C-alpha cells in the first residue's frame, strides 16, 4: 500500500485546527518532540487513550502532547465546539493537555488519509527536526518515546519493521472493508451465495481473525436457516479454537454456542454441551494467567454454559467473581458501570 506520509516524512500543517484547551499552536517547534493523537467522539476506545495522555506528558517532561478531535465536519467551528466540549467534559475534565478539533476535514486528509491510517485513536510522533518518528497505536508511545528522545528510533530496524507492519495492517483493513461492503450488499439483496462466498474469501485472507468465522455461522443459521451447514461450521470453528488455545478464539466460539443473543439452543444439543465443556475448560485454564479484567471477561463468557448445563451454582460463582474483579479493575467509570450492570443482570437471571 502506497503511503504519502510515513516515518521520515515532514509533519503536515496543523494551522487548520481550532483550539479548545491550552495555548493555540500553529506549528511544531524545532528542537522539541511533539505527539499528535487523533481522536473521534464516536470512538469508545478513544476515552481511555485520552485519559492516558495526561500521565504520559507528566512522565516525559518537555514533550508536547496535542489531542485532536476529528471526524466532526461542519460548515463552521461553532457548530462542532459544543459536541467536542461535551465529550471532553465527560472524558477528561481536568488536564493540562492541549486539545483542538478540526471541522474542515483537512486533518483527515493530510494526516490520516495520507498515512493510510484508518482506525482511531492514532498517534503521530514528530521529531525535533519536524519529521515523523512514529505513526501508530498510542499504547506503543511509552516504548517509542525514550528512543525518539535519544534519536535512536527513526532509523532503527525496529522502527522500519513497525512501519511495515502498520501498512500491512492497513492493507488488510482495506481488503476486509471491501469484502464487508460486498457481504452487506449481498445480504440486502438476499443473495446468500455471494454473501457466503465473500465470507469464505475473508476467512482465507484473514485466517487468524475469528470474527469472520462468527459471521459465517450467523449467516448460515440466522439468515439462511441452514441448520446442518451452520452446525458443521460452528463445530469446526470451536474445534479450531481449542486447537489454537487462543483466548479470543475460545471466547468467540463459546459466545456462539451459549450467548443469549444467538438462538442456537436447537442445534445438536448433546454435541453442543460436549464442545462447550471443552471450551470452558480451556478458557478457565487460560484465565489463571490473565489480568483481573481479562479473567472477568472469561468468567462472564463461561457462565452461560454452566447455567444451561444445570450447574447454576457454578454459573453464579463465576459471575460473582467477575463482579469483584471488575469493581477492582482500572476502567473509566462509565465503562465500569455499564459492565457491572450487565453482570448484575446475569446474576439476577441465574438466581431465577
Amino acid at each position: 500500500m502506497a503511503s504519502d506520509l510515513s516515518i521520515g516524512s515532514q509533519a503536515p500543517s496543523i494551522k487548520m485546527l481550532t483550539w479548545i484547551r491550552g495555548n493555540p499552536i500553529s506549528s511544531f517547534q524545532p528542537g522539541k518532540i511533539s505527539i499528535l493523537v487523533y481522536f473521534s467522539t464516536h470512538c469508545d476506545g478513544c476515552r481511555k487513550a485520552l485519559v492516558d495522555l495526561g500521565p504520559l506528558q507528566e512522565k516525559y517532561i518537555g514533550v508536547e502532547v496535542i489531542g485532536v478531535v476529528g471526524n466532526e465536519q461542519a460548515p463552521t467551528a461553532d457548530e462542532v465546539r459544543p459536541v467536542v466540549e461535551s465529550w471532553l467534559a465527560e472524558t477528561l475534565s481536568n488536564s493540562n493537555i492541549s486539545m483542538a478539533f478540526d471541522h474542515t476535514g483537512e486533518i483527515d486528509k493530510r494526516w490520516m488519509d495520507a498515512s493510510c491510517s484508518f482506525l482511531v485513536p492514532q498517534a503521530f510522533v514528530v521529531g525535533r527536526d519536524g519529521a515523523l518518528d512514529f505513526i501508530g497505536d498510542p499504547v506503543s508511545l511509552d516504548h517509542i518515546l525514550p528512543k525518539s528522545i535519544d534519536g535512536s528510533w527513526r532509523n532503527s530496524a525496529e522502527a522500519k519493521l513497525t512501519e511495515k507492519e502498520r501498512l500491512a495492517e492497513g492493507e488488510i483493513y482495506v481488503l476486509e472493508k471491501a469484502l464487508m461492503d460486498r457481504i452487506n450488499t449481498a445480504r440486502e439483496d438476499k443473495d446468500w451465495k455471494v454473501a457466503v462466498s465473500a465470507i469464505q474469501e475473508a476467512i482465507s485472507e484473514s485466517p487468524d481473525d475469528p470474527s469472520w468465522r462468527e459471521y459465517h455461522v450467523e449467516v448460515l443459521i440466522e439468515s439462511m436457516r441452514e441448520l446442518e451447514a451452520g452446525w458443521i461450521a460452528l463445530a469446526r470453528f470451536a474445534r479450531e479454537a481449542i486447537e489454537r488455545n487462543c483466548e479470543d478464539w475460545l471466547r468467540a466460539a463459546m459466545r456462539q454456542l451459549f450467548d443469549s443473543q444467538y438462538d442456537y439452543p436447537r442445534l445438536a444439543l448433546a454435541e453442543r454441551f460436549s464442545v462447550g465443556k471443552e471450551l470452558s475448560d480451556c478458557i478457565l485454564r487460560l484465565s489463571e494467567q490473565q489480568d483481573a479484567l481479562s479473567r472477568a471477561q472469561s468468567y462472564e463468557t463461561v457462565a452461560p454454559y454452566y447455567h444451561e448445563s444445570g450447574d447454576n451454582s457454578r454459573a453464579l460463582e463465576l459471575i460473582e467473581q467477575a463482579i469483584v474483579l471488575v469493581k477492582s479493575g482500572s476502567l473509566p467509570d462509565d465503562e465500569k458501570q455499564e459492565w457491572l450492570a450487565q453482570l448484575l443482570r446475569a446474576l439476577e437471571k441465574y438466581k431465577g
Side-chain angles (χ1 to χ4, degrees):
M1 177 181 292
S3 173
D4 296 328
L5 191 67
S6 58
I7 291 178
S9 302
Q10 285 295 304
S13 173
I14 55 172
K15 289 182 179 179
M16 74 291 294
L17 292 176
T18 300
W19 293 89
I20 200 165
R21 287 190 186 179
N23 295 321
I25 303 166
S26 60
S27 62
F28 300 106
Q29 297 181 32
K32 189 171 189 176
I33 291 176
S34 302
I35 307 169
L36 183 147
V37 185
Y38 186 88
F39 299 102
S40 168
T41 61
H42 311 289
C43 158
D44 292 336
C46 286
R47 292 181 180 272
K48 184 179 185 307
L50 182 54
V51 170
D52 289 344
L53 286 185
L56 189 78
Q57 182 162 263
E58 292 174 5
K59 181 176 181 179
Y60 297 99
I61 305 299
V63 173
E64 184 174 52
V65 179
I66 302 168
V68 175
V69 179
N71 278 330
E72 296 287 349
Q73 294 185 38
T76 67
D78 288 341
E79 293 183 48
V80 176
R81 184 180 293 274
V83 176
V84 177
E85 286 181 337
S86 175
W87 184 72
L88 285 174
E90 294 176 4
T91 308
L92 198 69
S93 56
N94 297 307
S95 175
N96 60 350
I97 295 172
S98 296
M99 293 293 305
F101 65 88
D102 172 36
H103 74 283
T104 66
E106 284 299 311
I107 282 285
D108 280 6
K109 294 177 187 175
R110 299 187 189 191
W111 290 79
M112 296 292 287
D113 294 348
S115 65
C116 299
S117 299
F118 304 103
L119 302 176
V120 290
Q122 186 79 325
F124 299 83
V125 177
V126 182
R128 292 188 174 91
D129 58 355
L132 291 169
D133 274 0
F134 171 76
I135 305 170
D137 195 322
V139 298
S140 300
L141 288 174
D142 232 352
H143 173 69
I144 303 299
L145 279 175
K147 300 177 184 180
S148 179
I149 291 169
D150 68 20
S152 65
W153 172 257
R154 187 187 301 169
N155 295 317
S156 68
E158 185 183 2
K160 293 173 183 175
L161 178 60
T162 300
E163 182 70 351
K164 182 179 179 180
E165 289 174 346
R166 181 185 74 82
L167 291 173
E169 289 173 1
E171 289 182 355
I172 292 171
Y173 175 87
V174 171
L175 174 63
E176 290 186 344
K177 186 177 185 305
L179 286 168
M180 184 56 75
D181 290 343
R182 276 174 55 196
I183 293 166
N184 288 337
T185 299
R187 292 191 71 171
E188 289 174 7
D189 296 340
K190 292 184 168 47
D191 190 341
W192 303 119
K193 184 177 180 181
V194 170
V196 170
S197 174
I199 293 170
Q200 290 172 334
E201 184 179 340
I203 290 172
S204 176
E205 292 289 343
S206 303
D208 296 326
D209 184 352
S211 62
W212 291 113
R213 313 300 178 101
E214 292 184 87
Y215 203 34
H216 188 206
V217 174
E218 289 171 25
V219 168
L220 288 172
I221 297 178
E222 294 188 342
S223 301
M224 300 176 67
R225 298 294 172 181
E226 294 283 352
L227 299 187
E228 183 176 352
W231 170 248
I232 291 171
L234 179 50
R236 187 182 297 127
F237 174 32
R239 180 54 50 197
E240 186 169 352
I242 292 167
E243 290 171 356
R244 285 174 176 259
N245 200 33
C246 170
E247 62 187 73
D248 289 340
W249 278 70
L250 291 164
R251 288 176 188 161
M254 181 63 92
R255 285 194 300 269
Q256 286 280 317
L257 283 164
F258 293 100
D259 196 300
S260 60
Q261 69 173 304
Y262 300 114
D263 184 23
Y264 300 167
R266 61 192 183 282
L267 293 176
L269 189 62
E271 291 89 342
R272 180 167 163 262
F273 282 112
S274 175
V275 173
K277 176 68 167 65
E278 287 188 75
L279 287 169
S280 65
D281 288 346
C282 291
I283 292 171
L284 293 176
R285 186 165 56 250
L286 284 176
S287 72
E288 297 173 1
Q289 307 161 23
Q290 296 168 344
D291 60 37
L293 294 178
S294 294
R295 286 206 312 278
Q297 190 175 1
S298 292
Y299 294 163
E300 182 182 17
T301 304
V302 168
Y305 157 74
Y306 285 101
H307 172 66
E308 284 198 39
S309 62
D311 191 350
N312 208 47
S313 61
R314 180 60 170 147
L316 285 167
E317 178 188 357
L318 288 167
I319 293 297
E320 287 168 348
Q321 289 179 10
I323 289 172
V324 171
L325 291 167
V326 171
K327 284 182 176 179
S328 63
S330 176
L331 274 176
D333 189 61
D334 57 341
E335 291 182 33
K336 180 178 289 190
Q337 295 308 318
E338 183 177 350
W339 194 352
L340 286 172
Q342 182 175 302
L343 289 169
L344 288 170
R345 285 194 293 271
L347 196 66
E348 290 175 4
K349 175 183 176 181
Y350 298 159
K351 286 182 175 178

